[in-house]
Amino acid sequence: MKKFYGKIDIQFASTFLYFNKKGMVQELIHNLKYKGHQEIGTVLGSWYVEDLKELQFENPFDAVIPVPLHKRKFKERGYNQVTTFGKAIASGFGIPFEENILIRKIYSKTQSKKNLLGRSENIENIFDVEFTEADYNKHFLIVDDVLTTGATIEACSLALSKIPGVKISMICMAMAH
């Protein structure tokens, strides 16, 4: 994807749906994220993984990693909105779902109301990784809900790049224009 050219080394990047304000996809993701309808993530992930399998990747993924929530945000919401989506993708590929490698160090308010500059400035050092030698040389698939500026995926990738030999790919439920 053009959003990442020259910024981070992404092996593969894709989104499933197109996000329009006041559209059906916004309604689906809003219900998943704020109204507890986690089954939406499972359904979208199950549909999407079938499309992804048809691409017959040269570099298969070793594990799926969700963009993490800060502990405080997790406590407020009660769940990470990308967990069920990521678990469906991992299950479809027959690979592990790893939610303890990538961590969010800094609590931040929602990105959805911020402009491009606000998202980019705010996101840079909020992620870190906890890894072992067993994670070296793995190909991780990061999953998120909506791709806007790419700042979140970029920050996650920079954190994951601390792992020797790591390869990173990403998918999102939807992409905003």
Side-chain angles (χ1 to χ4, degrees):
M1 293 191 136
K2 291 179 183 178
K3 289 183 185 290
F4 304 115
Y5 288 161
K7 294 180 180 179
I8 50 176
D9 185 18
I10 294 282
Q11 303 293 308
F12 172 79
S14 178
T15 61
F16 185 45
L17 303 167
Y18 188 71
F19 186 96
N20 260 329
K21 288 195 183 237
K22 301 191 191 253
M24 185 186 321
V25 174
Q26 181 185 25
E27 184 72 21
L28 278 171
I29 291 176
H30 180 83
N31 280 300
L32 167 63
K33 193 169 185 173
Y34 302 112
K35 301 211 173 173
H37 293 285
Q38 296 180 65
E39 68 278 4
I40 293 169
T42 303
V43 170
L44 293 178
S46 297
W47 285 345
Y48 194 25
V49 77
E50 293 307 315
D51 287 348
L52 292 170
K53 283 185 197 176
E54 289 181 20
L55 298 177
Q56 300 177 355
F57 296 101
E58 288 180 33
N59 300 318
F61 313 113
D62 294 304
V64 171
I65 296 180
V67 170
L69 296 179
H70 186 270
K71 289 177 186 176
R72 180 172 152 197
K73 177 74 78 180
F74 186 88
K75 189 173 182 182
E76 289 169 4
R77 189 174 293 154
Y79 62 96
N80 183 339
Q81 72 275 9
V82 297
T83 295
T84 56
F85 177 73
K87 284 183 175 179
I89 297 291
S91 176
F93 279 121
I95 58 176
F97 179 78
E98 301 281 350
E99 55 190 335
N100 297 315
I101 292 175
L102 188 60
I103 56 168
R104 187 180 291 253
K105 300 185 301 183
I106 298 170
Y107 176 84
S108 61
K109 294 285 184 188
T110 183
Q111 296 283 310
S112 63
K113 306 263 192 270
K114 294 179 181 167
N115 63 21
L116 174 64
L117 185 60
R119 288 172 196 247
S120 299
E121 285 179 351
N122 189 36
I123 207 92
E124 239 179 74
N125 294 309
I126 66 173
F127 297 102
D128 203 358
V129 289
E130 292 182 1
F131 63 94
T132 66
E133 200 172 316
D135 297 312
Y136 291 10
N137 303 308
K138 285 195 173 177
H139 186 174
F140 293 116
L141 178 63
I142 302 170
V143 296
D144 201 6
D145 53 6
V146 180
L147 178 67
T148 50
T149 66
T152 300
I153 297 295
E154 182 179 349
C156 290
S157 297
L158 291 172
L160 285 168
S161 69
K162 295 175 187 175
I163 302 172
V166 73
K167 290 181 184 167
I168 301 165
S169 290
M170 60 76 54
I171 60 169
C172 292
M173 292 179 209
M175 181 170 121
H177 57 81

